[in-house]
Amino acid sequence: MTRREWLGSTPGWIAPLAAAQGVAQEQRPVGSQRPNIVMIISDQFRADNLGCMGLNPMNLTPNLDGLASRGVLFRNAITSQPVCAPARATLFTGQYAERHGVWHNGPGIDPKASTVATAMRQAGYSTNYIGKWHLAPNQQRTDAQKGPVPPQYRGGFADFWEASNELEHTSHAYEGEIFASDGTPIRYSGTYRSEFLTGRAVRFLKEHRGTKPFLLVVSYLNVHHQNDSDTYVPPKEYANRYKNFFVPQDLRSLPGSWPSQLSDYYGCVASMDDCVGTLLRTLKEEGLEQNTIVSFMSDHGCHFKTRNTEYKRSPHESSIHIPLIIGGPGFDRPAQVDRLVSHVDLAPTFLEAAGVAVPQSMQGRSFWPVISNPGHPWRDEVYIHMSEYMVGRILRTPEWTYAVATPKRQGWRATASSDSYVEYMLYDLKADPFQHVNLAGRAETREISMKLRQRMLDRIVEAGGTRPQIESCYFPYS
């Protein structure tokens, strides 16, 4: 198929849109014993850190690579929004920011939101959470808002709860606190932060899981930088281990913070893998391995200040491409999936895997059928909301990254959307996978931009937004 033919087709659009947008699905039959689900979230983790992706030779992730070898590696998992809170809101609600309302770091999740946790609890699961949350209201960032998360803002995680809304502001690498369900501080000192959270998860699995099937989220701050020092802080034993580091090709030719930070970042990655290994061993020791779905993912990636003045919030693969590995019942088939999947699809997938009906409010689609049948009809593109650094939207297809933004509107102060955007980035991912040549505005890509523009407009409306204007940045002299 030629590029022009591909752009004129609609791969994976065979099913009616209504079927793809959160209509309750028939429950998938499961065994007599419903599977537990453990979701492990690592903040700001680049997909190419995984050894199993074949892009980084430093062997940082042997435990995660082992999980991928026994389960399913999603090679093209894409964030719904390259910033913490909105991505997490989409992950748990199965909705786009236009619907769930958490369009930047600040607004709290709707106390009445239907989430993966509320659906599973209604189906008889216990719902449990440990670590970073980031979905309670915090617009003012006062000391009081660094305290316990009120129960109504916990997204349906109503059983075991040990968390901090913004762990980056209540902790450092070797000291800090999270909060129990009743608001009591749980302090740590002298133990590395990720090891502390892993210890709390191990304690849950050994002592508090109960007799019900359970959903457990273990949400780490690592491998995110420490905000108040703007540094990556690995455990002491990893501090000098990666001085001679591999540099990913998207970073090599660009100025940024990576020369001084990549070594310690890799130390954080290796430490994160150690934590995953501890959790996997605990599941095996407790006799839970055969009946527990384990997933590893991130909210967004990291470009080390090469694309803007911070670490994410850009349309580039280093920001939007995330790791996703799932193993356990239903996913215990060594496979690699190349189709594009998004945060919005995760809640429906986990619910289907557990035999729980998907709420009508969820806009994502379960990607379970794609695992068994790579040729299953699937809309192979991801719609991405962009906020804070700018007000924009991104469409990621197998061949293209197409981005639009509203000029002269700072995303930190602006509203969630705009009635007018301008095309400002276009990358050919086949010819330029590391995104060094922006093709937006060029004469030779004008027809491609027109087609992608129409698809973008359709996706904005489908997500719940109002159809805007998108202006071409075509320059006749280019």
Side-chain angles (χ1 to χ4, degrees):
M1 180 181 289
T2 67
R3 179 177 297 172
R4 180 171 296 180
E5 289 169 339
W6 179 85
L7 284 163
S9 67
T10 53
W13 290 58
I14 299 174
L17 278 179
Q21 295 305 307
V23 174
Q25 303 173 32
E26 179 182 352
Q27 295 185 25
R28 176 169 295 279
V30 294
S32 58
Q33 188 178 13
R34 290 178 294 175
N36 307 306
I37 297 179
V38 176
M39 298 167 58
I40 305 170
I41 303 173
S42 175
D43 200 324
Q44 207 159 287
F45 193 110
R46 289 172 57 109
D48 63 0
N49 289 326
L50 296 172
C52 54
M53 290 290 285
L55 299 171
N56 189 315
M58 296 194 67
N59 191 31
L60 300 171
T61 58
N63 291 298
L64 285 164
D65 297 342
L67 180 63
S69 72
R70 301 184 298 274
V72 183
L73 170 66
F74 295 84
R75 299 192 63 88
N76 286 295
I78 306 295
T79 186
S80 60
Q81 193 158 340
V83 67
C84 297
R88 292 160 190 267
T90 296
L91 165 62
F92 294 127
T93 65
Q95 295 181 328
Y96 293 104
E98 284 88 345
R99 289 279 177 85
H100 62 61
V102 186
W103 61 273
H104 68 107
N105 289 337
I109 192 170
D110 185 344
K112 297 179 181 179
S114 180
T115 70
V116 64
T118 60
M120 294 194 76
R121 202 160 194 269
Q122 290 170 3
Y125 275 72
S126 73
T127 53
N128 314 279
Y129 201 96
I130 297 171
K132 173 176 173 172
W133 178 237
H134 218 148
L135 288 173
N138 63 350
Q139 289 94 329
Q140 302 303 316
R141 295 188 179 276
T142 64
D143 289 340
Q145 288 167 320
K146 295 178 184 177
V149 174
Q152 67 269 29
Y153 290 110
R154 295 178 187 173
F157 290 93
D159 293 288
F160 189 85
W161 174 274
E162 292 186 348
S164 170
N165 190 49
E166 293 186 341
L167 191 56
E168 51 267 59
H169 297 298
T170 68
S171 70
H172 290 87
Y174 282 93
E175 59 84 23
E177 63 185 8
I178 58 177
F179 300 90
S181 182
D182 63 0
T184 303
I186 305 171
R187 297 186 174 91
Y188 71 95
S189 179
T191 302
Y192 188 64
R193 177 170 45 209
S194 296
E195 294 173 3
F196 165 71
L197 293 176
T198 302
R200 305 307 292 185
V202 168
R203 178 172 171 265
F204 167 83
L205 293 171
K206 289 180 177 291
E207 301 176 12
H208 298 287
R209 67 177 185 265
T211 57
K212 295 180 179 180
F214 62 82
L215 166 64
L216 171 65
V217 176
V218 189
S219 177
Y220 294 89
L221 178 60
N222 275 16
V223 295
H224 195 283
H225 61 285
Q226 183 66 45
N227 289 50
D228 55 5
S229 64
D230 196 25
T231 58
Y232 291 91
V233 187
K236 295 171 184 176
E237 61 269 27
Y238 283 106
N240 296 306
R241 185 172 296 188
Y242 300 108
K243 285 187 174 180
N244 297 318
F245 51 78
F246 168 80
V247 183
Q249 291 192 52
D250 64 294
L251 304 179
R252 292 180 188 178
S253 62
L254 299 175
S257 62
W258 63 264
S260 63
Q261 291 185 330
L262 201 51
S263 173
D264 285 337
Y265 179 81
Y266 282 161
C268 293
V269 170
S271 171
M272 185 72 255
D273 185 75
D274 289 344
C275 294
V276 172
T278 298
L279 294 175
L280 294 175
R281 285 192 299 274
T282 302
L283 290 169
K284 185 174 183 178
E285 291 166 359
E286 293 297 305
L288 298 168
E289 181 182 39
Q290 297 303 315
N291 196 48
T292 301
I293 295 170
V294 179
S295 62
F296 177 84
M297 67 196 74
S298 188
D299 47 1
H300 53 76
C302 180
H303 60 69
F304 295 97
K305 303 185 181 182
T306 56
R307 304 297 187 166
N308 55 37
T309 56
E310 44 102 282
Y311 296 95
K312 47 199 181 254
R313 300 180 177 93
S314 85
H316 303 90
E317 289 294 285
S318 47
S319 284
I320 67 174
H321 199 157
I322 59 172
L324 179 61
I325 302 170
I326 309 179
F331 301 91
D332 49 356
R333 57 187 85 177
Q336 296 192 12
V337 175
D338 289 324
R339 309 300 290 274
L340 286 161
V341 299
S342 166
H343 278 137
V344 77
D345 304 317
L346 284 167
T349 300
F350 288 127
L351 291 172
E352 184 176 12
V356 177
V358 178
Q360 298 244 352
S361 61
M362 292 190 176
Q363 297 172 286
R365 305 149 294 163
S366 169
F367 48 70
W368 185 301
V370 176
I371 299 171
S372 301
N373 177 15
H376 181 82
W378 184 258
R379 183 167 54 191
D380 219 7
E381 65 183 28
V382 172
Y383 167 71
I384 305 162
H385 197 284
M386 193 161 50
S387 65
E388 297 192 346
Y389 195 82
M390 62 180 62
V391 180
R393 300 293 185 268
I394 308 164
L395 190 69
R396 168 68 157 82
T397 79
E399 287 194 347
W400 300 98
T401 298
Y402 172 78
V404 301
T406 300
K408 299 180 181 180
R409 289 185 67 181
Q410 295 182 348
W412 291 99
R413 302 187 184 95
T415 58
S417 61
S418 175
D419 57 6
S420 177
Y421 297 95
V422 174
E423 296 170 346
Y424 90 111
M425 283 189 181
L426 178 68
Y427 291 104
D428 183 336
L429 299 176
K430 301 297 184 183
D432 180 26
F434 304 109
Q435 297 174 304
H436 292 306
V437 181
N438 182 5
L439 299 175
R442 297 196 180 192
E444 64 269 26
T445 60
R446 187 180 187 186
E447 183 178 352
I448 292 165
S449 294
M450 290 174 61
K451 292 180 181 293
L452 292 172
R453 184 189 315 153
Q454 292 306 309
R455 289 165 67 173
M456 172 74 84
L457 289 167
D458 290 342
R459 294 306 302 272
I460 290 173
V461 173
E462 184 183 318
T466 301
R467 193 176 187 91
Q469 295 291 321
I470 297 179
E471 298 179 23
S472 171
C473 66
Y474 169 64
F475 301 112
Y477 51 81
S478 63

